Amino acid sequence: MRGQMMDQPLLISSLLVHAERHHGSREVVSRRCEGDLHRYSYRDLARRCRQVANALAGMGLGRGDRIGTIAWNGYRHLELYYGGSGSGLVVHTLNPRLHPDQLVWIADDAQDRAMFFDLTFLPLVEATAARFATVEHFVLMTDRSHMPAQTTIPNLICYEDLIEAAPERYDWPVFDETTASSLCYTSGTTGNPKGVLYQHRSTVLHAYAAALPDAMGLSARDVALPVVPMFHVNAWGTPYSTVMAGAKLVFPGPALDGKSLHDLFEAEGVTFSAGVPTVWQGLLGHVEENGLRFSSLRRTVIGGSACPPAMIETFEKTYGVTVLHAWGMSEMSPLGTVCRMKPGAEEMTEAARMAVKSKQGRALFGVDMKIVDADGNELPWDGQAQGDLLVRGPWVLDRYFNRDEDPLCYDAAGLGWFPTGDVATIDADGFMQVTDRTKDVIKSGGEWIGSIDLENIAMGHPAVAMAACIAAHHPKWDERPLLVVVKKPGREVTRDELMAFYEGKVAKWWLPDDVVFVDSIPLGATGKMQKNKLREAFRDHVLPTI
Ligand code: AMP
């Protein structure tokens, strides 16, 4: 028997329509590349999104066409998110931190027909425009007064002119909810990047789940500032879940240094934020050095790579800001788990509570996860057994864009699971902890050593700014941990002091065999440590024999 409820597709445009009707006067504030602060309301946003939809249609772009963006977090980028996806186009966000050759490759693979970009990226697009084989329209996301007097880009269009000329009336089309909505490429450590094609249904369901109290806990009373870029897995879905909730949105634009962020947090009364650990390091450094506080910030999502417990402690104990440690990936839209305590946490000792808080957290409803051994057998949820982490759910990737090979693996029951490439434990309460990337594990005498644990401990030392633990070749054990450390400016620590710092914190056979100090650790385009480059750099490192 079929249920008798309305058959209404879940579409991204409905989030905007709802926000305009119910939160029309709520503000969207953006730091622009032009340098100033721009503010308008959800009502203005909705009107301009309809104009964007009309303008895109006027450019001859239709359902399923890909439009590229190379842009910071800002209101014009948000207008493209809604105007583009809402009208049935696929918004393809490109990461400007990638090498230009890679950008060209990605735009070509996606067959982008238009490229929208911020003023910051004018030189980048000028240098690459001729190589974007499929791009017919280049649009600079600025107003007439900031258009360059001369440019090598043919027929460069001014975004504000384009919008101004477009009618304000537009009826959002209704189509199948499985229609593609946006596209984001994920760059692994080897091979070409792979496209993850999101759909309306997956995006709306993910927005619901992300807004839940045990996830980001978003409400109409929130003021949200996503630091995580809109070109990194759709800013972890925040442009959808905040609009769904009717929260005030604050966009930092290109100004991502500690001072600019803190100024904006304070001026706009930001209550909620989200970003990778490296960003928060800069912000905390600025706040500590200048004796500042957070007067409105209540909670922040930290993910993308493991959040060191020392950072969680500083945020919570010194500044009264709750850290929501989260884990996910581009292939998961991205949220998989968020670390929110269960009842009874109040009675735990501080150390036990922190041990839980440093885990990556519990799965959101909608995400199924399990850990398996090398033969695919499911491992127990005892917090000890570690294995390959597999996931499934309505916002988990089925297959990569333009790639026929199926990334799923199938269990005995014939169910498809996505292999995340992470190694993890899950405890009896369902808290998952990532111990490593499969490619980063250190195998000493056949036993795994968790590099993230070793890094977290080093990060707890007051003189350590950044730490990476990699496998170094060992004649007897095959691999042993080598700790690579960047010191904080003006702080000193020796190899022996760091080695002593580990005592009593991990099993003896986990202790790093050596410590090397470097000026910097290479970071990838989304702020993650590139351990493959470190492994390459220290390939011939000779470990001490004692
Ligand atoms: P990306 O698709 O670029 O967002 O990368 C996803 C990968 O980042 C995951 O598979 C993890 O290896 C890593 N990652 C994301 N969040 C965390 C976290 N909280 N702790 C440890 N690793 C993380």
Side-chain angles (χ1 to χ4, degrees), residues 161-428:
D161 286 357
L162 187 70
I163 305 273
E164 207 174 297
E168 292 181 9
R169 215 199 120 88
Y170 181 84
D171 293 324
W172 296 108
V174 175
F175 40 72
D176 191 296
E177 64 183 14
T178 58
T179 302
S181 57
S182 63
L183 178 64
C184 185
Y185 279 72
T186 171
S187 27
T189 43
T190 52
N192 280 322
K194 293 184 226 167
V196 183
L197 189 60
Y198 308 101
Q199 54 180 208
H200 284 258
R201 171 187 152 82
S202 66
T203 305
V204 173
L205 288 176
H206 180 270
Y208 269 120
L212 284 171
D214 265 4
M216 295 183 181
L218 289 164
S219 83
R221 294 165 299 285
D222 270 313
V223 179
L225 187 153
V227 181
V228 52
M230 289 168 79
F231 52 76
H232 184 198
V233 211
N234 299 323
W236 298 348
T238 50
Y240 307 112
S241 44
T242 51
V243 170
M244 173 186 272
K248 171 175 162 180
L249 258 170
V250 183
F251 288 123
L256 300 173
D257 60 288
K259 180 179 181 338
S260 305
L261 286 176
H262 186 261
D263 286 354
L264 204 53
F265 278 15
E266 294 300 300
E268 298 300 327
V270 171
T271 60
F272 168 89
S273 193
V276 294
T278 37
V279 161
W280 300 131
Q281 216 168 14
L283 179 71
L284 283 177
H286 169 74
V287 170
E288 273 163 26
E289 275 160 34
N290 297 282
L292 304 169
R293 312 284 312 163
F294 293 102
S295 51
S296 56
L297 189 65
R298 295 286 163 266
R299 59 202 193 287
T300 183
V301 178
I302 304 186
S305 47
C307 179
M311 182 176 280
I312 301 179
E313 252 182 276
T314 307
F315 261 120
E316 302 211 352
K317 291 202 184 133
T318 314
Y319 299 109
V321 177
T322 301
V323 169
L324 309 176
H325 192 193
W327 166 87
M329 45 195 320
S330 307
E331 289 88 338
M332 299 178 69
S333 308
L335 272 188
T337 64
V338 179
C339 198
R340 286 276 198 167
M341 301 305 282
K342 280 190 162 176
E346 313 76 41
E347 282 102 60
M348 286 174 146
T349 64
E350 195 49 27
R353 211 179 65 84
M354 277 312 297
V356 176
K357 288 225 72 167
S358 60
K359 297 189 176 192
Q360 277 71 10
R362 294 182 280 121
L364 306 186
F365 169 73
V367 174
D368 238 357
M369 63 181 183
K370 65 175 178 181
I371 42 173
V372 298
D373 65 16
D375 300 321
N377 302 311
E378 186 162 1
L379 294 168
W381 290 22
D382 59 7
Q384 299 297 321
Q386 49 179 332
D388 294 321
L389 181 63
L390 309 182
V391 291
R392 59 197 305 268
W395 56 83
V396 176
L397 168 131
D398 186 31
R399 60 188 62 232
Y400 290 104
F401 183 64
N402 271 349
R403 303 238 177 168
D404 289 336
E405 66 265 27
D406 196 344
L408 294 186
C409 54
Y410 292 85
D411 62 16
L415 298 176
W417 293 82
F418 177 76
T420 63
D422 287 327
V423 180
T425 62
I426 306 177
D427 70 20

